[in-house]
Amino acid sequence: MGSANESARAAVGALLQTADSPAAPPALYKLHEPPELEPLRRINADRYRAGQPHMLA
């Protein structure tokens, strides 16, 4: 749920910037990324560069 909220905040910020709105962009927060998942992230990044699907697809 937290990552969905952050994605929405980023999208709203991009829309405000594109529309040249004077409104302040929403605050963005860094989400916790468990370090034990880093090896899986690297594997998936390598697969993406090789044109392969996500390992869970």
Side-chain angles (χ1 to χ4, degrees):
M1 188 67 167
S3 60
N5 287 334
E6 285 306 299
S7 295
R9 287 185 177 113
V12 168
L15 288 171
L16 290 173
Q17 183 177 14
T18 300
D20 291 326
S21 173
L28 298 178
Y29 303 97
K30 176 125 175 81
L31 298 174
H32 171 71
E33 295 187 21
E36 53 271 354
L37 296 180
E38 184 57 33
L40 298 174
R41 286 189 198 95
R42 278 190 261 125
I43 291 169
N44 194 54
D46 292 341
R47 291 178 58 85
Y48 179 80
R49 278 191 294 277
Q52 298 174 338
H54 190 279
M55 66 179 100
L56 299 178

